Amino acid sequence: MSDTWIINMAFVALLVAIGLYALLTMKNLIRMLIGIEIVSKGILLALIATGYEKNNILTSQSLAISFIVVEVCVLATALAVIINIHRHTKTLDIEQLTNLKG
Amino acid sequence: MHIFLLCGLVLCSILAILATDLLKAAISLAGASIFLAMTFFELGAAYAGVFEISVVAGLITVLFIATISLTKGEGEVKERRFGRYLLPVFVVGMAVADFLVMRQFLGALPALPAAPEAADLGTVLWSQRTFDLIGQIAVLLAGVFCVLALFRKRSEDE
Amino acid sequence: MGIPDILLSPPVVFLIFLAACFALFWSAGFLAPKPTKVGDKLESYACGEDMPDSAIQINYRLFFHIALFFTIMHVSVLVVATVPAGALALLAVPYLLMISLSVAALITRS
């Protein structure tokens, strides 16, 4: 267990904490998506740092590439959903999206 | 050098969370992914760095900015007042929990099988992880059909 | 690692050029005359007529189709660029077939 890996993993934990905080407290839908992006950055850093530590950077790089492709698709779809929500309700506030509440 | 890049990454992420302007938030997110890509170059993962810069810092930022400009105007969202003061408390709490818990997990990780000698990224991606490519195609098709269903053509009378 | 090596490593060069670009930008803004925001300069020009201020409704139905088309092309080009030489290169053919299927669905159904 090298020091570089410990430092990288500490920063991974910081990034995941920041992203989770955004997901928990923000009310704007686009801000919550930014939180998801930050969490995914932390996970990418964890993948590459572990590959570097375990001397197998190639496998972790190919995993990271697949991860980025999935991330782009998720982002495009989520932004399309957000545009549709804005078109129907004229707001991006998650507390206004309560028309299914019983 | 490495630690400066990581600090820049975390600073840009915090800016992206705390910026009041959504446009500034999107641009600092792009800055964070540029720092992440430089970290990848530093760790020897050049192709992942190229992917990160050209896809995440370029394409996703364009999508974000287009969405922000399409949804601008009516319906401004007021964030909660305690939103920006609780961040340090939360981050410190997570850091302490991480320090207490994660060390044992990191020590227990098994070694990966070593990469074959003189292999390059293409060989590893296309021979060992072929199934991931099927997953990529599935996700791309799902995204296409989702966008087609969300923005389908309206009937004539609407 | 000497000072020249540090100064010529790619991240540092990137940061130096970023700083240089911003310095150029700010110095040009310092040299340029200040804009005077008075009168007709703030109007949106429409053949000398006053435009109503109502927001223009943009038709953005096709925007996401084009954005997703661009995304798929970008990603698939970057993935296919890693294809190794030899017999493994044939694996790229079904990949590209499926990508072209999704692009065809995007174009014909939009």
Side-chain angles (χ1 to χ4, degrees):
Chain A
M1 236 182 359
S2 71
D3 281 346
T4 324
W5 197 31
I6 300 281
I7 292 171
N8 278 329
M9 284 306 183
F11 276 93
V12 168
L14 270 180
L15 283 176
V16 172
I18 294 166
L20 278 183
Y21 181 80
L23 279 176
L24 288 175
T25 62
M26 300 288 172
K27 290 202 295 186
N28 192 332
L29 278 171
I30 294 180
R31 259 173 221 282
M32 295 177 71
L33 260 190
I34 288 178
I36 293 179
E37 274 292 289
I38 291 173
V39 173
S40 75
K41 278 186 209 322
I43 288 162
L44 270 177
L45 181 60
L47 270 177
I48 297 289
T50 310
Y52 179 75
E53 164 77 17
K54 302 280 183 186
N55 274 328
N56 200 340
I57 196 82
L58 294 176
T59 304
S60 69
Q61 258 191 94
S62 52
L63 285 175
I65 287 171
S66 299
F67 186 85
I68 291 175
V69 173
V70 173
E71 187 190 340
V72 171
C73 280
V74 167
L75 247 290
T77 316
L79 288 175
V81 172
I82 285 179
I83 286 187
N84 265 331
I85 286 174
H86 185 263
R87 194 166 60 184
H88 284 299
T89 66
K90 298 291 174 204
T91 181
L92 289 179
D93 195 339
I94 48 167
E95 294 189 347
Q96 306 288 321
L97 304 178
T98 52
N99 45 7
L100 279 185
K101 199 156 77 176
Chain B
M1 191 64 221
H2 189 70
I3 195 118
F4 288 125
L5 291 179
L6 291 174
C7 286
L9 171 60
V10 168
L11 271 183
C12 278
S13 310
I14 292 176
L15 268 184
I17 293 295
L18 293 185
T20 47
D21 191 3
L22 275 178
L23 215 55
K24 283 174 190 161
I27 289 177
S28 34
L29 196 67
S33 58
I34 286 175
F35 274 112
L36 185 61
M38 288 199 280
T39 318
F40 287 175
F41 283 117
E42 192 86 2
L43 291 178
Y47 208 82
V50 169
F51 238 87
E52 176 79 20
I53 280 194
S54 85
V55 175
V56 181
L59 211 135
I60 286 185
T61 310
V62 171
L63 286 182
F64 259 118
I65 289 175
T67 308
I68 288 167
S69 69
L70 281 179
T71 59
K72 209 169 50 183
E74 49 219 313
E76 293 292 318
V77 183
K78 272 213 185 76
E79 297 294 341
R80 293 184 182 84
R81 244 181 302 121
F82 62 85
R84 50 188 54 210
Y85 305 116
L86 223 58
L87 178 61
V89 182
F90 189 80
V91 167
V92 167
M94 281 288 281
V96 170
D98 175 69
F99 187 76
L100 291 180
V101 175
M102 279 307 274
R103 254 172 188 273
Q104 285 89 30
F105 284 133
L106 285 185
L109 275 185
L112 291 177
E117 284 301 314
D120 58 346
L121 172 69
T123 319
V124 173
L125 177 62
W126 290 80
S127 67
Q128 292 181 7
R129 310 220 56 94
T130 319
F131 198 72
D132 289 4
L133 297 168
I134 301 174
Q136 285 181 19
I137 293 171
V139 170
L140 283 174
L141 277 174
V144 167
F145 287 120
C146 188
V147 167
L148 283 179
L150 281 172
F151 291 98
R152 66 177 179 278
K153 215 177 276 181
R154 302 273 166 230
S155 55
E156 291 298 321
D157 50 7
E158 266 186 77
Chain C
M1 207 156 117
I3 296 289
D5 284 344
I6 292 178
L7 280 183
L8 283 179
S9 69
V12 180
V13 170
F14 178 78
L15 287 182
I16 289 173
F17 272 86
L18 198 67
C21 286
F22 269 100
L24 197 63
F25 180 70
W26 284 114
S27 59
F30 184 70
L31 284 177
K34 293 275 175 283
T36 51
K37 291 179 178 169
V38 286
D40 291 343
K41 281 190 178 179
L42 295 175
E43 297 285 321
S44 45
Y45 180 67
C47 304
E49 292 182 17
D50 280 341
M51 290 256 291
D53 272 345
S54 65
I56 301 163
Q57 194 66 40
I58 314 164
N59 184 12
Y60 48 75
R61 197 180 66 79
L62 275 181
F63 167 75
F64 253 85
H65 294 90
I66 296 166
L68 200 66
F69 172 77
F70 185 68
T71 307
I72 289 172
M73 280 307 187
H74 195 106
V75 162
S76 61
V77 162
L78 277 176
V79 171
V80 167
T82 63
V83 172
L88 273 178
L90 285 179
L91 278 178
V93 176
Y95 188 81
L96 284 177
L97 271 180
M98 293 306 286
I99 294 288
S100 57
L101 185 68
S102 66
V103 169
L106 198 59
I107 290 174
T108 55
R109 302 293 299 167
S110 65

